[in-house]
Amino acid sequence: MPATQKRRELDLTDFPPGTVSEYATLVCLACIFDIFTKQLGLAPRTAYSEVKRHSPSVQELTAPQAMRPYFDSEEKNPHCPYCNAAKRWHARFDTYRIEGGKLTDAARRALLKSLPKAEDQFQVVETKSDRRTLFFEWLDALGRRLDFETDAWLADAARAYLERTEPKTNWAEVFEGLRAVRRSQRLETGWERDGDRLFLAPALYNDVLFVQYLVSRSHKYGGRTFEGRLTLMELVRRLRYSGHLDAQGITERDQFDVLEKLVEHMTGGEGAVKLYYIVDRRDFLEKVKTVYSHYAT
């Protein structure tokens, strides 16, 4: 990302890890202006006014695969995949999704208050979801950024889950120089670090195993965990013999029923969660002016 864009990023340091998701997508203004001027026959000034008011939906901005006129690209000098327009015709939308709740409400209100109000540079959209959906979206995002080619991802997955469950702890400091994560035979709750090893209470350790299984599982070979590769049946057996299922009140015998109950335990049920999407339109508004000047000449 260019340095100019980095300076424009929002300060999200007051939000606990795992409570903010970031999305970025590009839009081809050449495609949009051509629709208004060539297909609809609008004058450039009228087209400019219409395009300037353009407000993409949350679905368009956060879709796993962008649809025309939006597209995704990691290239330094991308071309539009639809009309081959060069980079100067592209505008970027940055979208930030904040999960509502006690942990984020104060920081969210302060952030919204600090945003400029002129010309709709930022738009805020409120929606609702549920804890189960958010959990699996978090797992999906986690899986996309982990490098499964090395064993380091196991500790990274553990840290990501711990950040989500105990966001006030400085986990970057806890994991600094860490060589191993182990199940504690002494702790009943929580965690402790001893030298270069991190010990987790059995319940917390088992939750980490479950997250590792989910994020790496395949239908044929199961998932990889701190305890090796486990099929669902092997994981359920291990959790049952360790007393974890009884401790969570899970009495089902079928492995898939147990899986559902474990997910319910991890997510806290399907309670509603408010989501706040902040759409940064600054780059879009600037680029629209530039493109309009081309059409107006």
Side-chain angles (χ1 to χ4, degrees):
M1 183 183 298
T4 54
Q5 289 184 333
K6 284 188 176 182
R7 288 197 297 268
R8 295 164 65 93
E9 289 181 352
L10 301 186
D11 183 3
L12 304 172
T13 54
D14 290 337
F15 291 91
T19 60
V20 179
S21 300
E22 300 181 38
Y23 308 86
T25 192
L26 300 172
V27 62
C28 179
L29 296 176
C31 287
I32 294 180
F33 267 90
D34 281 350
I35 291 174
F36 281 104
T37 58
K38 296 180 179 180
Q39 297 185 27
L40 300 180
L42 298 182
R45 180 65 190 180
T46 305
Y48 167 71
S49 298
E50 292 295 327
V51 174
K52 186 179 178 182
R53 289 197 292 267
H54 176 62
S55 180
S57 68
V58 166
Q59 290 74 21
E60 289 173 319
L61 293 171
T62 62
Q65 185 170 355
M67 301 292 289
R68 188 173 187 176
Y70 306 97
F71 66 97
D72 301 319
S73 177
E74 297 295 332
E75 297 179 14
K76 184 177 181 180
N77 295 297
H79 283 73
C80 173
Y82 313 115
C83 71
N84 203 40
K87 180 180 178 180
R88 66 179 181 273
W89 297 90
H90 308 160
R92 176 185 173 110
F93 284 103
D94 288 300
T95 305
Y96 306 86
R97 189 191 73 182
I98 302 172
E99 295 182 19
K102 293 181 179 179
L103 290 175
T104 61
D105 283 347
R108 172 181 53 80
R109 285 192 289 266
L111 175 62
L112 294 180
K113 186 177 180 180
S114 70
L115 298 179
K117 305 298 188 294
E119 297 185 337
D120 291 327
Q121 296 178 61
F122 290 89
Q123 291 183 336
V124 180
V125 180
E126 296 184 21
T127 65
K128 287 185 178 180
S129 186
D130 60 80
R131 299 187 186 281
R132 181 188 177 93
T133 299
L134 290 181
F135 176 69
F136 279 102
E137 288 179 352
W138 171 78
L139 274 179
D140 182 61
L142 176 62
R144 288 198 300 271
R145 70 173 186 262
L146 292 176
D147 181 6
F148 292 103
E149 298 301 317
T150 69
D151 289 339
W153 76 265
L154 291 164
D156 293 339
R159 173 179 164 180
Y161 174 69
L162 293 171
E163 287 177 338
R164 186 174 177 85
T165 56
E166 197 174 309
K168 293 184 178 181
T169 299
N170 185 348
W171 290 106
E173 181 179 305
V174 173
F175 274 75
E176 180 69 28
L178 197 69
R179 297 187 62 184
V181 179
R182 297 283 186 263
R183 181 199 308 268
S184 174
Q185 303 299 326
R186 183 175 60 82
L187 296 175
E188 293 186 2
T189 60
W191 58 274
E192 67 176 2
R193 177 162 174 168
D194 183 6
D196 57 6
R197 295 178 298 174
L198 177 65
F199 290 92
L200 305 179
L204 187 57
Y205 183 82
N206 286 329
D207 286 344
V208 167
L209 294 185
F210 186 56
V211 166
Q212 291 172 335
Y213 167 82
L214 289 176
V215 81
S216 66
R217 64 177 172 169
S218 66
H219 293 295
K220 186 175 182 180
Y221 298 111
R224 292 177 59 197
T225 72
F226 282 140
E227 301 296 324
R229 186 176 292 279
L230 301 172
T231 64
L232 177 58
M233 182 178 296
E234 291 168 338
L235 176 66
V236 169
R237 184 183 299 119
R238 181 179 293 271
L239 297 181
R240 191 182 304 281
Y241 289 162
S242 70
H244 184 70
L245 299 186
D246 287 340
Q248 307 306 328
I250 300 175
T251 59
E252 283 74 9
R253 307 304 299 180
D254 180 82
Q255 61 179 339
F256 297 106
D257 291 338
V258 172
L259 176 65
E260 286 300 312
K261 289 296 183 179
L262 285 170
V263 169
E264 184 177 327
H265 156 66
M266 297 291 284
T267 61
E270 297 187 358
V273 179
K274 277 190 176 182
L275 300 176
Y276 301 85
Y277 290 87
I278 301 176
V279 183
D280 186 345
R281 304 176 73 244
R282 291 176 293 179
D283 186 65
F284 172 74
L285 293 174
E286 291 177 5
K287 292 292 182 62
V288 168
K289 292 179 182 178
T290 302
V291 172
Y292 165 65
S293 65
H294 169 83
Y295 278 86
T297 56

